[in-house]
Amino acid sequence: MLNLIFFGPPGVGKGTQASKAAKHYNLIHVSTGDILREEIRLETELGIKVKDVIASGELVPDKYLIELLENTCEKHKGAQGFVFDGFPRTLRQAEALEEMMERTNCKVAKVISLEVPAEELVRRLVNRAIEQGRTDDTADVIKNRLVVYQKHTEPLIDFYKKRDVFVVIPGEGTIDDIFAAICNVIDNRY
Ligand code: AMP
């Protein structure tokens, strides 16, 4: 099994690269943001509960994410592996993922952290909001999402560095060049 985490702040290009990696390595792409947006669109019980939280740029409570993760992995039991995109975002989520992996004798092979300068992030998020009509990406919400990232998600860097799986890839350049750098890390992981 090959399990990968695509890590980094909102706007860094995780989704694009995670989706390419899932196709290339035949893995299941798990974007918690996409799953939650679909729940909102379908007006499910969960969707209704999380709508306002997502619109504000805050994080959805861990218990919903952990349940969602367990259901998703259960649904794809025979998969060759997973590409997690936007998950985990808190220490509690990272611990839950680790426990789940241990239960099935698996582990996270690499945490691929994409990095770009802060001004570039804001520029990308503003453009994406316009292009995709993402109502969670207004200027104030964008700022809040970045603050929330620093506060809750950045501590995961140490968590994964300790496990010796954390790799930084510069997130600027063409999509294909960045992807080539990512493949290089994944292919030479042993
Ligand atoms: P994303 O598309 O990954 O930027 O996620 C959009 C929004 O969904 C985030 O701002 C959060 O409100 C929520 N969300 C997605 N993934 C998570 C997660 N792992 N933990 C908590 N909230 C999440």
Side-chain angles (χ1 to χ4, degrees), residues 97-115:
L97 178 63
E98 192 166 73
E99 282 161 23
M100 223 183 76
M101 294 262 155
E102 277 168 5
R103 280 205 297 272
T104 47
N105 254 331
C106 296
K107 58 185 233 119
V108 170
K110 288 284 173 218
V111 175
I112 294 166
S113 175
L114 296 171
E115 292 191 359

Side-chain angles (χ1 to χ4, degrees), residues 8-185:
V12 81
K14 292 190 298 292
T16 306
Q17 297 295 339
S19 154
K20 279 176 83 69
K23 271 202 202 93
H24 186 78
Y25 293 100
N26 196 21
L27 309 171
I28 304 292
H29 180 193
V30 181
S31 160
T32 46
D34 283 352
I35 296 173
L36 291 169
R37 278 185 287 279
E38 185 63 7
E39 296 280 334
I40 293 174
R41 195 183 66 81
L42 296 173
E43 296 182 341
T44 63
E45 205 180 315
L46 175 63
I48 292 163
K49 275 189 199 135
V50 302
K51 194 174 176 199
D52 291 346
V53 182
I54 292 188
S56 71
E58 292 293 321
L59 294 182
V60 170
D62 287 337
K63 62 174 179 181
Y64 297 127
L65 266 299
I66 293 168
E67 204 179 302
L68 187 152
L69 173 86
E70 288 186 344
N71 291 341
T72 306
C73 293
E74 184 69 28
K75 203 165 100 191
H76 298 282
K77 249 184 168 167
Q80 293 186 34
F82 293 90
V83 177
F84 297 105
D85 159 16
F87 182 94
R89 263 175 153 103
T90 64
L91 274 174
R92 181 70 204 95
Q93 291 177 19
E95 284 160 1
L97 178 63
E98 192 166 73
E99 282 161 23
M100 223 183 76
M101 294 262 155
E102 277 168 5
R103 280 205 297 272
T104 47
N105 254 331
C106 296
K107 58 185 233 119
V108 170
K110 288 284 173 218
V111 175
I112 294 166
S113 175
L114 296 171
E115 292 191 359
V116 304
E119 324 78 69
E120 171 66 11
L121 277 185
V122 175
R123 198 186 62 75
R124 288 188 192 184
L125 285 167
V126 170
N127 280 345
R128 182 171 76 183
I130 297 166
E131 281 163 18
Q132 299 181 355
R134 277 193 46 171
T135 49
D136 60 337
D137 275 354
T138 62
D140 279 348
V141 172
I142 286 171
K143 269 188 227 140
N144 194 32
R145 273 154 60 75
L146 293 172
V147 170
V148 165
Y149 171 78
Q150 280 162 2
K151 188 170 165 204
H152 297 283
T153 311
E154 271 186 356
L156 295 187
I157 296 175
D158 266 355
F159 180 91
Y160 286 115
K161 274 188 177 166
K162 279 190 193 135
R163 283 149 181 81
D164 216 13
V165 289
F166 193 81
V167 185
V168 174
I169 303 271
E172 282 182 297
T174 68
I175 289 176
D176 287 343
D177 285 349
I178 299 168
F179 187 59
I182 291 170
C183 289
N184 194 31
V185 163

